[in-house]
Amino acid sequence: GVNLWGVVAASQKATMLQGHQSSVLCIGFGPNGRLVATGATDGAAKLWSIRSGMCHHTLVGHRGSVCAVAFAKDVTMVATGSADSTVRVWNVKRGHCVHTLQTTDSVARVRALAFSPGGTLLATGSEDGATRLWGLSENIEGDPCKAVLQGPRMVADRQQRPVPAHAIAFFA
């Protein structure tokens, strides 16, 4: 389970979220303060009410652990990033997948997500060191990946390797 603690009285539990069948790896709060999303090692994500602790939707479709979750500013969409190198964008109200974004690199496990302030772009950070910018629209035609920004490299075991992108954000 996941424990949510109150900020004012940190010694007192606010809400207990129970329902995942495996370990929870990530958590993201909706900007409205009402919803929270969690992702787990079984490939499932869940949308919860912060106040009641009730699960609104279980989001299934990934073939690997869900390593990142992020809400759009208007809370109409939530994105889940996975070790299977995919990102799924979900309709929050209905719990349906509206976009599946696939990286071309099988080692591009998605570790970080961020929606642009207007919700038209989604940035993903991956273990392959790349930050990808994806266009989001009702009808995605062609490759929705608008840009791949390669991050720095480090030397490990006498080989150059990418530095994984574990955090990402937009600045408005």
Side-chain angles (χ1 to χ4, degrees):
V2 175
N3 290 320
L4 300 180
W5 299 85
V7 176
V8 176
S11 62
Q12 189 174 23
K13 273 192 236 183
T15 308
M16 176 75 162
L17 308 178
Q18 293 183 315
H20 275 290
Q21 302 302 310
S22 65
S23 298
V24 173
L25 296 178
C26 56
I27 188 167
F29 289 87
N32 64 3
R34 295 183 184 146
L35 294 175
V36 64
T38 54
T41 57
D42 63 1
K46 291 184 179 284
L47 296 179
W48 310 84
S49 164
I50 291 175
R51 180 168 284 142
S52 70
M54 187 174 105
C55 179
H56 290 291
H57 298 292
T58 299
L59 311 174
V60 294
H62 288 293
R63 294 181 320 269
S65 299
V66 175
C67 306
V69 294
F71 281 94
K73 185 178 179 181
D74 65 3
V75 196
T76 60
M77 295 181 291
V78 65
T80 56
S82 175
D84 68 7
S85 303
T86 66
V87 173
R88 291 181 179 267
V89 180
W90 308 85
N91 175 297
V92 168
K93 194 172 192 175
R94 300 188 193 283
H96 293 141
C97 182
V98 293
H99 299 297
T100 300
L101 309 172
Q102 174 72 54
T103 64
T104 56
D105 191 342
S106 62
V107 296
R109 294 179 179 102
V110 180
R111 298 294 186 200
L113 298 165
F115 281 93
S116 65
T120 58
L121 291 174
L122 180 67
T124 62
S126 304
E127 273 189 20
D128 66 354
T131 296
R132 291 173 177 81
L133 296 176
W134 304 88
L136 301 177
S137 66
E138 290 296 318
N139 299 315
I140 293 179
E141 294 180 17
D143 185 2
C145 187
K146 302 298 181 194
V148 179
L149 311 170
Q150 208 53 50
R153 299 181 74 76
M154 66 179 177
V155 176
D157 300 325
R158 297 185 181 160
Q159 293 181 351
Q160 280 203 1
R161 297 193 177 155
V163 175
H166 288 282
I168 197 162
F170 277 92
F171 176 72

